[in-house]
Amino acid sequence: MAAITYKCPNCGGALEFNAESQDWKCEFCLSNFNNEDVKSFEDNLNTNDNSFDQDTIKEDAEFAEKARVYTCNSCGAEIVTDDTTAATFCYYCHNPAIIPGQLSGEYRPAKVIPFKFNKEAARDMFVKWCKKKPLLSRQFTSNSQLELLSGVYIPFWLFDCDTRGRIIAEGRKIRTWVSGNKKYTETKYYDITRAATASFNGIPADGSKKADDRLMETLEPYDYSQMVDFSMSYLSGYMAEKYDVDKGDVFGRISERVNEYTSTLLRNTIQGYSSITVRNSDIDIYKSQATYVLLPAWIFTYNYRGKTYMFAMNGQTGKIAGSLPISMGRMAAWFGIISGITFGILSIGGMLL
């Protein structure tokens, strides 16, 4: 019988046994599963022996297809990664390991923005940011948690687009006046048309299935003037991924942004009316070109009370984004303090009346 690969039902990643907590953990989405959960996985697989064999063989084939094994030049240990990892660390000697074959041919980026600050600086910036969040769990900024902060080069597609746009709108001018004891209102309606061509440069879309698209957009903008020709040397000491979402697959996201940008530009040319209603909008991208680049980000994933939170920092500008866990204990304490202060102010105010 083929070997069994236990997969996370949430994201499809491989489950690993955690000796300390005596449960199984997915390193990709940080989900945890107990013994009963895993037994349930086994029961479902054993429902049909034939399908079980076919499924496990398929899983083994998928692992063989996507797993990559490399030898560390420093200590000789074997490094196992997935088929998108381009730079990582040796688990034994902790030396950076760059995998050049992963970023060759069509997967070789044209440009890269190097990291502008190291892990220590990123941690300090993160802690300073967290201090402004009084309801944040103290454990979130513990040293053990901050060790999970990782510098990652995220694959991005940068699009240059030429567009044609046209909108049809209705404008209203409203005039009111009073004559005698009566108030009059006059409303005039106008048909409005606006058309223009526009060019947009460097519209980004991440090319990684692992990256949260909305979170990556929040980290924008990057300063493209600091972009340099790609060299493997920039990857040393950081993790890096090659794209697994093709430029054609991200074009839908780019198209939505271009449509929004162009419509906003046209809408902003309409002035002098009391109100405006856009009746029709027609935006056409008639020319586009995509460039494959790597952009730096510090990534931190945190599991708190069964929920996963992701924090990210722009590795060039230091801009921070992400969702944060709220400590119910600290929330209760802050509520008590605020209530006490409010009660004290009201009491003093009553004494002075």
Short mmCIF file of all heavy atoms in Angstrom, two decimals, residues 214-244:
data_model
loop_
_atom_site.label_atom_id
_atom_site.label_comp_id
_atom_site.label_asym_id
_atom_site.label_seq_id
_atom_site.Cartn_x
_atom_site.Cartn_y
_atom_site.Cartn_z
N ARG A 214 -5.28 40.97 -0.50
CA ARG A 214 -5.71 42.24 0.10
C ARG A 214 -4.61 42.81 0.99
O ARG A 214 -4.37 44.02 1.02
CB ARG A 214 -7.00 42.04 0.89
CG ARG A 214 -7.61 43.33 1.40
CD ARG A 214 -8.93 43.04 2.10
NE ARG A 214 -9.89 42.47 1.18
CZ ARG A 214 -10.69 43.18 0.39
NH1 ARG A 214 -10.60 44.51 0.42
NH2 ARG A 214 -11.55 42.59 -0.41
N LEU A 215 -3.94 41.93 1.74
CA LEU A 215 -2.87 42.38 2.62
C LEU A 215 -1.71 42.94 1.81
O LEU A 215 -1.12 43.97 2.16
CB LEU A 215 -2.39 41.23 3.49
CG LEU A 215 -1.35 41.56 4.57
CD1 LEU A 215 -1.90 42.57 5.55
CD2 LEU A 215 -0.90 40.29 5.29
N MET A 216 -1.36 42.28 0.70
CA MET A 216 -0.28 42.76 -0.14
C MET A 216 -0.62 44.12 -0.76
O MET A 216 0.24 44.99 -0.88
CB MET A 216 0.00 41.74 -1.26
CG MET A 216 0.58 40.41 -0.79
SD MET A 216 2.18 40.58 0.06
CE MET A 216 1.68 40.39 1.78
N GLU A 217 -1.89 44.33 -1.12
CA GLU A 217 -2.29 45.64 -1.66
C GLU A 217 -2.19 46.73 -0.60
O GLU A 217 -1.86 47.88 -0.91
CB GLU A 217 -3.73 45.55 -2.19
CG GLU A 217 -3.87 44.73 -3.46
CD GLU A 217 -5.30 44.67 -3.96
OE1 GLU A 217 -6.17 45.35 -3.37
OE2 GLU A 217 -5.57 43.93 -4.93
N THR A 218 -2.45 46.37 0.65
CA THR A 218 -2.39 47.35 1.74
C THR A 218 -0.97 47.85 1.96
O THR A 218 -0.76 48.97 2.43
CB THR A 218 -2.95 46.75 3.03
OG1 THR A 218 -4.24 46.20 2.78
CG2 THR A 218 -3.09 47.80 4.12
N LEU A 219 0.03 47.01 1.62
CA LEU A 219 1.43 47.41 1.82
C LEU A 219 1.89 48.44 0.80
O LEU A 219 2.95 49.04 0.96
CB LEU A 219 2.34 46.18 1.73
CG LEU A 219 2.21 45.13 2.83
CD1 LEU A 219 3.25 44.04 2.62
CD2 LEU A 219 2.35 45.76 4.22
N GLU A 220 1.15 48.64 -0.25
CA GLU A 220 1.54 49.61 -1.27
C GLU A 220 1.51 51.03 -0.69
O GLU A 220 0.82 51.29 0.30
CB GLU A 220 0.57 49.52 -2.47
CG GLU A 220 0.56 48.17 -3.15
CD GLU A 220 -0.52 48.09 -4.22
OE1 GLU A 220 -1.01 49.16 -4.66
OE2 GLU A 220 -0.91 46.97 -4.59
N PRO A 221 2.27 51.96 -1.32
CA PRO A 221 3.07 51.77 -2.53
C PRO A 221 4.53 51.43 -2.23
O PRO A 221 5.03 51.70 -1.15
CB PRO A 221 2.97 53.14 -3.19
CG PRO A 221 2.94 54.08 -2.01
CD PRO A 221 2.16 53.38 -0.93
N TYR A 222 5.19 50.84 -3.22
CA TYR A 222 6.65 50.67 -3.22
C TYR A 222 7.25 51.78 -4.08
O TYR A 222 6.62 52.27 -5.02
CB TYR A 222 7.04 49.31 -3.80
CG TYR A 222 6.85 48.15 -2.85
CD1 TYR A 222 5.64 47.48 -2.76
CD2 TYR A 222 7.90 47.71 -2.05
CE1 TYR A 222 5.46 46.41 -1.90
CE2 TYR A 222 7.74 46.63 -1.18
CZ TYR A 222 6.51 45.99 -1.11
OH TYR A 222 6.33 44.93 -0.26
N ASP A 223 8.46 52.16 -3.75
CA ASP A 223 9.17 53.18 -4.52
C ASP A 223 9.98 52.48 -5.61
O ASP A 223 11.05 51.94 -5.36
CB ASP A 223 10.10 53.99 -3.60
CG ASP A 223 10.83 55.11 -4.34
OD1 ASP A 223 10.62 55.25 -5.56
OD2 ASP A 223 11.63 55.81 -3.69
N TYR A 224 9.44 52.52 -6.82
CA TYR A 224 10.08 51.80 -7.93
C TYR A 224 11.40 52.43 -8.36
O TYR A 224 12.17 51.80 -9.09
CB TYR A 224 9.13 51.71 -9.12
CG TYR A 224 7.86 50.94 -8.85
CD1 TYR A 224 6.67 51.26 -9.49
CD2 TYR A 224 7.84 49.89 -7.93
CE1 TYR A 224 5.50 50.56 -9.24
CE2 TYR A 224 6.68 49.18 -7.67
CZ TYR A 224 5.52 49.52 -8.34
OH TYR A 224 4.35 48.83 -8.08
N SER A 225 11.67 53.66 -7.95
CA SER A 225 12.93 54.30 -8.32
C SER A 225 14.12 53.58 -7.68
O SER A 225 15.25 53.73 -8.15
CB SER A 225 12.92 55.78 -7.92
OG SER A 225 12.94 55.92 -6.51
N GLN A 226 13.87 52.80 -6.64
CA GLN A 226 14.93 52.06 -5.96
C GLN A 226 15.02 50.61 -6.46
O GLN A 226 15.74 49.79 -5.89
CB GLN A 226 14.70 52.07 -4.45
CG GLN A 226 14.77 53.47 -3.86
CD GLN A 226 14.56 53.47 -2.36
OE1 GLN A 226 14.37 52.44 -1.73
NE2 GLN A 226 14.61 54.65 -1.75
N MET A 227 14.31 50.30 -7.51
CA MET A 227 14.35 48.96 -8.09
C MET A 227 15.64 48.78 -8.88
O MET A 227 16.09 49.68 -9.57
CB MET A 227 13.13 48.75 -8.98
CG MET A 227 12.91 47.32 -9.43
SD MET A 227 11.33 47.17 -10.33
CE MET A 227 10.17 47.45 -9.00
N VAL A 228 16.24 47.60 -8.76
CA VAL A 228 17.51 47.31 -9.44
C VAL A 228 17.36 46.02 -10.24
O VAL A 228 16.42 45.25 -10.05
CB VAL A 228 18.67 47.18 -8.44
CG1 VAL A 228 18.89 48.48 -7.69
CG2 VAL A 228 18.42 46.04 -7.44
N ASP A 229 18.30 45.79 -11.14
CA ASP A 229 18.31 44.53 -11.89
C ASP A 229 18.46 43.36 -10.94
O ASP A 229 19.22 43.42 -9.96
CB ASP A 229 19.46 44.53 -12.91
CG ASP A 229 19.24 45.52 -14.03
OD1 ASP A 229 18.07 45.89 -14.28
OD2 ASP A 229 20.24 45.94 -14.65
N PHE A 230 17.76 42.28 -11.22
CA PHE A 230 17.76 41.14 -10.32
C PHE A 230 19.13 40.47 -10.25
O PHE A 230 19.81 40.28 -11.24
CB PHE A 230 16.73 40.10 -10.77
CG PHE A 230 16.78 38.84 -9.96
CD1 PHE A 230 16.27 38.81 -8.67
CD2 PHE A 230 17.36 37.68 -10.49
CE1 PHE A 230 16.33 37.65 -7.92
CE2 PHE A 230 17.41 36.52 -9.74
CZ PHE A 230 16.89 36.51 -8.46
N SER A 231 19.51 40.11 -9.02
CA SER A 231 20.72 39.33 -8.77
C SER A 231 20.44 38.39 -7.61
O SER A 231 19.78 38.77 -6.63
CB SER A 231 21.91 40.24 -8.42
OG SER A 231 23.00 39.47 -7.95
N MET A 232 20.93 37.15 -7.69
CA MET A 232 20.72 36.18 -6.62
C MET A 232 21.28 36.66 -5.29
O MET A 232 20.81 36.26 -4.23
CB MET A 232 21.39 34.85 -7.00
CG MET A 232 20.67 34.08 -8.08
SD MET A 232 19.14 33.37 -7.48
CE MET A 232 18.60 32.51 -8.96
N SER A 233 22.28 37.52 -5.33
CA SER A 233 22.93 37.95 -4.10
C SER A 233 21.97 38.68 -3.17
O SER A 233 22.16 38.67 -1.95
CB SER A 233 24.12 38.86 -4.43
OG SER A 233 23.70 40.01 -5.15
N TYR A 234 20.92 39.31 -3.71
CA TYR A 234 19.97 40.02 -2.86
C TYR A 234 19.13 39.05 -2.01
O TYR A 234 18.54 39.46 -1.01
CB TYR A 234 19.04 40.88 -3.71
CG TYR A 234 19.72 42.05 -4.36
CD1 TYR A 234 19.86 42.12 -5.74
CD2 TYR A 234 20.23 43.10 -3.61
CE1 TYR A 234 20.49 43.20 -6.36
CE2 TYR A 234 20.86 44.18 -4.20
CZ TYR A 234 20.98 44.22 -5.58
OH TYR A 234 21.61 45.28 -6.18
N LEU A 235 19.07 37.78 -2.40
CA LEU A 235 18.23 36.82 -1.70
C LEU A 235 18.91 36.24 -0.46
O LEU A 235 18.23 35.68 0.41
CB LEU A 235 17.85 35.67 -2.63
CG LEU A 235 17.21 36.03 -3.98
CD1 LEU A 235 16.77 34.78 -4.71
CD2 LEU A 235 16.05 36.99 -3.77
N SER A 236 20.23 36.35 -0.37
CA SER A 236 20.95 35.73 0.73
C SER A 236 20.50 36.29 2.08
O SER A 236 20.50 37.49 2.31
CB SER A 236 22.46 35.96 0.56
OG SER A 236 23.17 35.29 1.57
N GLY A 237 20.09 35.40 2.97
CA GLY A 237 19.63 35.80 4.29
C GLY A 237 18.13 36.00 4.37
O GLY A 237 17.61 36.33 5.44
N TYR A 238 17.44 35.82 3.27
CA TYR A 238 15.99 36.00 3.25
C TYR A 238 15.33 34.81 2.56
O TYR A 238 16.00 34.01 1.89
CB TYR A 238 15.61 37.28 2.50
CG TYR A 238 16.17 38.53 3.13
CD1 TYR A 238 17.38 39.07 2.69
CD2 TYR A 238 15.51 39.16 4.18
CE1 TYR A 238 17.91 40.21 3.27
CE2 TYR A 238 16.03 40.30 4.77
CZ TYR A 238 17.23 40.81 4.31
OH TYR A 238 17.75 41.93 4.90
N MET A 239 14.04 34.70 2.72
CA MET A 239 13.28 33.70 1.99
C MET A 239 12.77 34.35 0.71
O MET A 239 12.62 35.57 0.64
CB MET A 239 12.13 33.17 2.84
CG MET A 239 12.57 32.51 4.14
SD MET A 239 11.19 31.77 5.04
CE MET A 239 10.79 30.40 3.97
N ALA A 240 12.51 33.52 -0.28
CA ALA A 240 11.99 34.04 -1.54
C ALA A 240 11.12 32.99 -2.20
O ALA A 240 11.33 31.79 -2.01
CB ALA A 240 13.14 34.44 -2.48
N GLU A 241 10.13 33.46 -2.93
CA GLU A 241 9.22 32.58 -3.65
C GLU A 241 9.23 32.93 -5.13
O GLU A 241 9.42 34.09 -5.50
CB GLU A 241 7.79 32.73 -3.11
CG GLU A 241 7.62 32.39 -1.64
CD GLU A 241 7.67 30.91 -1.37
OE1 GLU A 241 7.31 30.13 -2.28
OE2 GLU A 241 8.10 30.51 -0.27
N LYS A 242 9.02 31.93 -5.96
CA LYS A 242 8.80 32.20 -7.37
C LYS A 242 7.28 32.22 -7.59
O LYS A 242 6.51 31.69 -6.80
CB LYS A 242 9.46 31.17 -8.26
CG LYS A 242 8.82 29.78 -8.23
CD LYS A 242 9.51 28.83 -9.19
CE LYS A 242 8.82 27.47 -9.22
NZ LYS A 242 9.48 26.53 -10.15
N TYR A 243 6.86 32.85 -8.68
CA TYR A 243 5.42 32.99 -8.87
C TYR A 243 4.78 31.64 -9.18
O TYR A 243 5.36 30.77 -9.84
CB TYR A 243 5.12 34.00 -9.98
CG TYR A 243 5.40 33.54 -11.40
CD1 TYR A 243 4.47 32.78 -12.09
CD2 TYR A 243 6.59 33.90 -12.06
CE1 TYR A 243 4.71 32.36 -13.39
CE2 TYR A 243 6.83 33.50 -13.36
CZ TYR A 243 5.89 32.73 -14.02
OH TYR A 243 6.12 32.31 -15.31
N ASP A 244 3.58 31.44 -8.66
CA ASP A 244 2.76 30.30 -9.04
C ASP A 244 1.38 30.75 -9.50
O ASP A 244 0.47 29.94 -9.63
CB ASP A 244 2.65 29.27 -7.90
CG ASP A 244 2.15 29.88 -6.60
OD1 ASP A 244 1.87 31.08 -6.58
OD2 ASP A 244 2.04 29.14 -5.61
#
